[in-house]
Amino acid sequence: MTGRSAVFGSEDRRAGTSVVAEALRIAGRDRRPVFGSAVLAGMVALFAGGGIVAGAFAVSWGLFLEAGRAAETAIADEDSYVAYADQCDDLVKVAFCVYPLLLLVAVVLIAWLLTAQAVTVAHARERAAAGTPAAALTLHALWRRSRPHLGAAVRVQLLTLACALVPGLAGLLVLVAIQSEMVPGVVWPTYHDPATAQFILVGRILPVVIWALGFALLTRFSLATAVRVTDSSSATTAMRRSWTLTRTARLHTTGICLLGTVAVAVSFTVLRWLGVFVAHWAGLVMLAVTGGNVWVTGVLVLVVPVAVALVALPFVLAPVGVLLGCLRERLDGGVGGVRVLSGVSVG
């Protein structure tokens, strides 16, 4: 990296594998700020997210006890019993309060991770442009350089989330319309009535196409946080700049983002599987504490694997953030001619 120009040539800009290799080099060499930021994000996810979930369990405690009493009465009277039959509506209300709070925590943490990795990539570029070894980026320095950008980064994530909701809800609306028998000629398949060609086309292929277009839309805004760190622009300006940078490299950007998405999805699946072992012991502890309340224990066992995966996921999101930062540098190096980095003008 030493002595390498901050601007990439057109051949390098088209080489997606070199972007990945560059990101891996930076993540390996600057692993302290990269994975240190992931540790901080994991701790916040554990305490903030865990506190929200614990509060939800505390609020719902009476509902779990009531479900237990209703089940015991039904068993004693030899009546059929449906779990949470009378408590379902109240539990859904609690969930509707919890989910937005958890989503807000996730938005803030993603903004922090992407900002921190963009700062790390910028530091690597400055070190390369200077041509001499520079001091390692400490966590304190990383926080100091990232803090001015966090507010705009959060706004970028919120605006991106709003853009993602449009195709996401549109795809779900198609499925709801079919299930509600609002689409003429398309019937939801049952055990006795297999899926028809119309259902496969409208109920399976069409939602996937809508969601794929939504994913392609998100990739166009994927570099906005890195743009903000470099240009110190507003959230909307950074998103417009990201859209401009990716205009001539749509497939390239989509491929890089798809690679990162697959890495996150696979990691989440593996981490959730590992979380099952944690859920087993957590369930045993809950049974012992509650005197055998299987209703609260059952919900806890469902929640814990996902919680474990989400707490550990920043260790995967951090390298992906480095990848996006490198991609922004690559695309920006081929657009706009001259750039100035740490006082050095390069063409």
Side-chain angles (χ1 to χ4, degrees):
M1 286 290 298
T2 302
R4 184 175 179 178
S5 172
V7 174
F8 296 87
S10 59
E11 293 183 0
D12 276 346
R13 189 162 61 91
R14 294 190 185 97
T17 54
S18 63
V19 176
V20 176
E22 174 106 23
L24 291 175
R25 284 196 297 269
I26 293 177
R29 185 186 56 206
D30 297 311
R31 54 186 175 275
R32 182 177 180 182
V34 171
F35 294 104
S37 62
V39 170
L40 293 177
M43 292 175 61
V44 173
L46 178 62
F47 290 104
I52 293 172
V53 174
F57 271 96
V59 171
S60 305
W61 198 258
L63 299 175
F64 293 124
L65 296 179
E66 186 177 346
R69 288 191 295 266
E72 293 171 357
T73 301
I75 293 172
D77 295 340
E78 298 182 354
D79 293 332
S80 60
Y81 172 72
V82 178
Y84 308 111
D86 298 325
Q87 296 80 29
C88 184
D89 291 341
D90 291 330
L91 288 172
V92 169
K93 292 177 182 178
V94 174
F96 274 128
C97 295
V98 170
Y99 287 157
L101 294 176
L102 292 177
L103 185 61
L104 179 61
V105 172
V107 166
V108 172
L109 292 182
I110 291 175
W112 154 249
L113 286 171
L114 294 182
T115 301
Q117 309 328 312
V119 169
T120 301
V121 172
H123 177 76
R125 294 299 180 201
E126 293 167 2
R127 181 168 52 194
T132 57
L137 187 63
T138 64
L139 288 178
H140 178 73
L142 178 66
W143 169 252
R144 187 179 66 252
R145 294 183 59 172
S146 300
R147 185 173 55 186
H149 306 290
L150 287 179
V154 171
R155 290 191 290 274
V156 166
Q157 303 310 313
L158 290 174
L159 290 173
T160 303
L161 179 62
C163 293
L165 285 176
V166 176
L169 294 177
L172 291 176
L173 184 62
V174 172
L175 298 178
V176 171
I178 295 174
Q179 195 168 28
S180 302
E181 299 181 354
M182 298 174 61
V183 181
V186 180
V187 180
W188 197 275
T190 63
Y191 180 77
H192 299 287
D193 299 319
T196 61
Q198 294 89 337
F199 174 80
I200 294 175
L201 179 63
V202 180
R204 290 291 181 262
I205 297 179
L206 180 59
V208 171
V209 170
I210 294 174
W211 292 330
L213 292 175
F215 178 79
L217 175 66
L218 294 182
T219 63
R220 300 294 301 275
F221 297 129
S222 61
L223 308 182
T225 302
V227 169
R228 158 67 197 190
V229 170
T230 303
D231 300 344
S232 296
S233 55
S234 65
T236 53
T237 301
M239 294 181 73
R240 286 196 297 268
R241 178 60 175 162
S242 176
W243 187 273
T244 301
L245 287 176
T246 57
R247 178 179 298 166
T248 58
R250 294 184 181 91
L251 293 179
H252 180 67
T253 304
T254 301
I256 293 294
C257 291
L258 184 61
L259 176 64
T261 301
V262 170
V264 171
V266 171
S267 301
F268 178 81
T269 302
V270 173
L271 291 170
R272 187 175 60 179
W273 174 75
L274 294 175
V276 172
F277 299 97
V278 180
H280 171 73
W281 293 104
L284 293 178
V285 171
M286 182 61 75
L287 283 174
V289 171
T290 60
N293 190 323
V294 297
W295 291 269
V296 65
T297 302
V299 175
L300 180 68
V301 169
L302 292 176
V303 170
V304 167
V306 177
V308 170
L310 292 178
V311 169
L313 203 58
F315 291 96
V316 183
L317 290 173
V320 172
V322 176
L323 179 62
L324 294 177
C326 291
L327 179 60
R328 189 214 66 82
E329 289 284 348
R330 183 65 52 90
L331 297 180
D332 209 9
V335 178
V338 178
R339 296 185 60 211
V340 177
L341 184 60
S342 295
V344 179
S345 178
V346 290

